[in-house]
């Protein structure tokens, strides 16, 4: 038997052209196309690419040593209706580990046949470093001067002897197969003119060779003119190539990215009008033009083709520009970027004074985001893992993804150029910053990606985030901070753009980050205004301005629907808080029917009510100075590692138990406490005063926005008393 009947024991070579021709359960050979935060893209055919999600790997994605172009083996787990392919990990990663190999040729005669192994080369392969150019080259053996290439016989006897020898050789050759040497000799003779092959008499006048010289001069002159014409070829813009399929064109621009596929090297070129892929082929998996880097200004000559439904330029010649030529292209792109990136104005979703106060800085932030898209720089959004934070991040995501799809030809571009990474708290600390820097440097080195724009929504605006922001600054990553709560002066000096109503003298106590980010999203992309008009109302737990409630209702979201969305997002935000949950959040906020939000919201209320009932029964109430206090031992009377998180629990507990204008609610854990107050407490001042009262407690303001204070476990009681006394002093 020449093959194994069990398909799990063999791998298949796919020769189809549609994802739906794949057979789930089979193992296929493919090539690594590239990486994303969530997995690896693998090409199974020239226009069939699947995703090996990081959850399918038997190791961390960061430790995977595959490089683009590497041959790998994967299992097809599922092919979705939209053509997306879910791949599974294969522990077998070499041909020899399988018990056979067969061809999967859905529309051909080779389907089911064994894969023939390629013969091993006896010598080193020749590796090209540059693709062929469009220039005309002479055939092998062609004459390049008026001189003859064959020596003349010294005498008639020698000539006769030589002729006789050649005749005998020719006669003997009739009975044998031609060799490679014969082919080369034949090409050499056929490539020469008759006067080059036959010897000329010495007595022949020198002037008779002049016609040959004239022909050569004419040929060289024609080549020179052709090169000159090529240098003077008219440049076209990338936006105009739709009507030029099949034409050879010249384009100029900046290299936005470089990716090595299993076949050609693909250079993503950006000019002042659009972005296009330019493919250069040397050998399968071999990097073409290795000297070309991201950010280089180049000129490309090539033919426009349509691949996988997308336009692509088949590169014939690529030239790196420098000096004045590079400066001209750079200025052309810069002028176009400035015109296209900055919105004309900010039109708020609803009239709201603190939003109006930051109109200019919102324009600056919108320009930075749009410019990053146009410059092919990734955008990393950091927001808190709360309902308000997720609403803010989803609003910006809704605005940016269509711009990325419009700008970049790749189907998976939105996964490469936009990422949301939730934060567990509003401090952008060294842990988060180190994570971001590590990823961006890996993407730069492995995939030639540019350094990203980091957008912080409702986070990073306090002095506790300076170390993290500073680390980003060391590497030159652009930083934009958008926050409704007051920002510290030091942050304004550290970041590139800061959107903060308090710094403009506005009272933003009734403004949520979700409302502010929703207005920013409309400044980035006006087309999504109707999509996000209900989001400001969703972002408020209480005291939502009436104009946002009216706006949501006018778009079909009444108060009950808004509440369900808020609760559903809050529940999903808790689970795997470090994940963006892009599709699920989009379904909840934009695309799903009421059933999904209603189902998740019901789970939210069940879980929250159980915790609140237990907490209220175990509250310790007392008076401290002029304030009333309710203290919950959250370590003893709540589930620490289940929903709701302590911050959300103490928020809801405070809303339900507060009495009067001087009321404080505390959730006390083993080494931290959460503080909520009916008055405006300066948390840093509270901690500073409490630290003087209990110097051995190790008190520290861990999260200004969350009202979280840390202390040493052994000084739990002393820390609580000192904090309550310090809070009472502020009232």
């Amino acid at each position: 038997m020449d093959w194994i009947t069990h398909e799990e024991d063999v791998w298949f070579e796919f020769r189809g052209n549609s994802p739906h021709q794949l057979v789930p359960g089979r193992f296929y050979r493919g090539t690594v196309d590239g990486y994303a935060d969530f997995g690896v893209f693998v090409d199974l055919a020239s226009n069939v690419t699947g995703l090996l999600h990081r959850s399918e790997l038997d190791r961390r994605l960061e430790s995977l040593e595959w490089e683009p172009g590497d041959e790998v083996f994967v299992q097809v787990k599922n092919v979705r209706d939209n053509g997306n392919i879910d791949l599974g990990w294969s522990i077998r990663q070499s041909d020899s580990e399988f018990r056979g190999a067969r061809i999967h040729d859905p529309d051909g005669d080779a389907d089911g046949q064994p894969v023939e192994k390629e013969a091993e080369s006896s010598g080193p392969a020749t590796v090209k470093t540059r693709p062929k150019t469009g220039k005309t080259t002479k055939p092998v053996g062609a004459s390049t001067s008026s001189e003859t290439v064959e020596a003349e016989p010294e005498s008639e006897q020698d000539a006769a002897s030589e002729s006789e020898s050649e005749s005998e050789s020719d006669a003997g050759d009739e009975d044998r197969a031609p060799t490679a040497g014969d082919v080369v000799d034949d090409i050499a003779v056929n490539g020469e003119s008759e006067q080059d092959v036959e010897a000329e008499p010495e007595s022949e006048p020198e002037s008779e060779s002049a016609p040959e010289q004239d022909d050569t001069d004419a040929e060289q002159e024609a080549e020179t003119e052709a090169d000159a014409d090529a240098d003077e070829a008219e440049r076209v813009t990338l936006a105009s190539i739709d009507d030029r399929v099949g034409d050879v064109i010249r384009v100029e621009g900046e290299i936005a990215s470089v990716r090595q596929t299993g076949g050609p090297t693909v250079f993503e070129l950006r000019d002042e009008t659009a972005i296009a892929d330019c493919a250069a082929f040397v050998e399968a998996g071999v990097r073409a033009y290795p000297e070309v880097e991201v950010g280089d200004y180049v000129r490309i000559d090539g033919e426009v083709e349509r691949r996988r439904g997308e336009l692509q330029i088949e590169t014939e010649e690529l030239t790196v520009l420098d000096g004045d030529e590079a400066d001209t292209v750079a200025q052309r792109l810069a002028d176009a970027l400035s015109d296209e990136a900055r919105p004309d104005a900010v039109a708020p979703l609803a009239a709201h004074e603190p939003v109006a106060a930051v109109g200019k800085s919102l324009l600056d932030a919108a320009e930075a985001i749009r410019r990053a898209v146009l410059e092919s720089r990734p955008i990393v959004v950091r927001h808190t893992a709360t309902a308000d934070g997720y609403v803010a991040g989803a609003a910006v995501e809704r605005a940016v993804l269509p711009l990325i799809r419009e700008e970049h030809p790749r189907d998976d571009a939105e996964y490469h150029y936009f990422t949301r990474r939730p934060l567990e708290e509003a401090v952008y600390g060294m842990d988060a910053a180190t994570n971001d820097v590590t990823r961006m440097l890996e993407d730069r080195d492995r995939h030639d990606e540019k350094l990203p724009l980091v957008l912080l929504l409702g986070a990073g605006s306090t002095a506790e985030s300076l170390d993290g922001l500073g680390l980003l600054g060391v590497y030159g990553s652009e930083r934009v901070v958008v926050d409704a709560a007051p920002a510290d002066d030091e942050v304004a000096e550290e970041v590139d753009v800061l959107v903060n109503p308090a710094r403009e003298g506005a009272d933003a106590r009734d403004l949520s980050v979700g409302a502010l980010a929703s207005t920013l999203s409309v400044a980035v992309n006006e087309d999504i205004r109707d999509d996000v008009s209900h989001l400001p109302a969703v972002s408020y737990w209480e005291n939502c301005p009436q104009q946002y409630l009216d706006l949501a209702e006018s778009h079909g979201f009444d108060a009950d629907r808004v509440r369900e969305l808020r609760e559903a997002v809050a529940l999903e935000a808790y689970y795997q808080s470090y994940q963006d949950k892009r599709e699920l959040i989009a379904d909840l906020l934009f695309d799903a029917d009421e059933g999904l939000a209603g189902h998740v919201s019901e789970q939210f209320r069940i879980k929250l009510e159980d915790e609140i009932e237990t907490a209220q029964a175990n509250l310790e109430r007392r008076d401290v100075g002029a304030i009333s206090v309710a203290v919950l031992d959250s370590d003893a009377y709540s589930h620490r590692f289940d929903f709701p998180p302590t911050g959300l629990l103490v928020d809801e507990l405070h809303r339900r138990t507060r009495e009067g204008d001087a009321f404080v609610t505390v959730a006390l854990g083993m080494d931290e406490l959460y503080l909520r107050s009916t008055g405006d407490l300066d948390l840093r001042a509270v901690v500073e005063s409490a630290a003087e009262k209990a110097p051995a407690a190790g008190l520290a303001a861990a999260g200004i926005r969350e009202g979280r204070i840390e202390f040493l476990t052994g000084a739990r009681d002393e820390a609580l008393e000192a904090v309550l006394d310090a809070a009472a002093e502020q009232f």
Side-chain angles (χ1 to χ4, degrees), residues 28-83:
Y28 288 88
R29 181 177 66 183
T31 54
V32 176
D33 180 56
Y35 282 79
D37 286 342
F38 43 82
V40 186
F41 290 100
V42 178
D43 292 332
L44 302 181
S46 59
N47 61 343
V48 179
T49 301
L51 172 65
L52 179 61
H53 196 273
R54 63 190 307 156
S55 62
E56 293 286 339
L57 302 177
D58 68 347
R59 68 201 69 181
R60 293 177 61 85
L61 179 63
E62 294 76 10
S63 66
L64 200 60
E65 296 181 352
W66 291 349
E67 294 292 340
D70 284 355
E71 181 180 285
V72 298
F73 294 90
V74 292
Q75 185 180 36
V76 172
K77 306 280 284 189
N78 180 43
V79 179
R80 304 186 188 186
D81 293 340
N82 62 3

Side-chain angles (χ1 to χ4, degrees), residues 584-644:
L584 176 57
I585 296 298
D587 277 351
L588 283 171
L589 291 177
F590 305 112
D591 303 323
D593 58 26
E594 297 183 21
L596 175 62
H599 172 74
V600 180
S601 172
E602 182 180 5
Q603 298 302 312
F604 169 91
R605 289 194 297 275
I606 291 173
K607 292 177 178 293
L608 181 63
E609 290 301 328
D610 286 346
E611 292 289 309
I612 288 292
E613 183 178 356
T614 299
Q616 287 180 322
N618 291 279
L619 280 177
E620 177 193 341
R621 295 176 179 271
R622 56 173 143 157
D623 293 329
V624 178
I627 64 174
S628 298
V629 178
V631 179
L632 171 69
D633 187 338
S634 57
D635 190 59
Y637 299 109
S638 70
H639 296 95
R640 294 184 61 191
F641 303 108
D642 197 2
F643 186 85

Side-chain angles (χ1 to χ4, degrees), residues 170-190:
D170 292 341
D173 287 345
E174 292 178 359
D175 298 326
R176 66 178 176 86
T179 66
D182 296 331
V183 175
V184 173
D185 291 341
D186 185 54
I187 293 174
V189 172
N190 290 334

Side-chain angles (χ1 to χ4, degrees), residues 550-595:
D550 294 341
L551 181 65
E553 188 163 9
S554 69
H555 284 77
F557 295 84
D558 59 21
D560 288 338
R561 182 82 188 280
V562 166
R563 175 188 53 79
E564 286 183 348
L565 289 177
R566 180 188 310 117
E567 292 173 349
V569 172
L571 181 66
E572 296 301 342
Y574 172 76
Y575 293 108
Q576 292 184 325
S577 59
Y578 54 88
Q579 296 284 355
D580 63 355
K581 298 177 278 290
R582 176 181 291 186
E583 290 78 13
L584 176 57
I585 296 298
D587 277 351
L588 283 171
L589 291 177
F590 305 112
D591 303 323
D593 58 26
E594 297 183 21

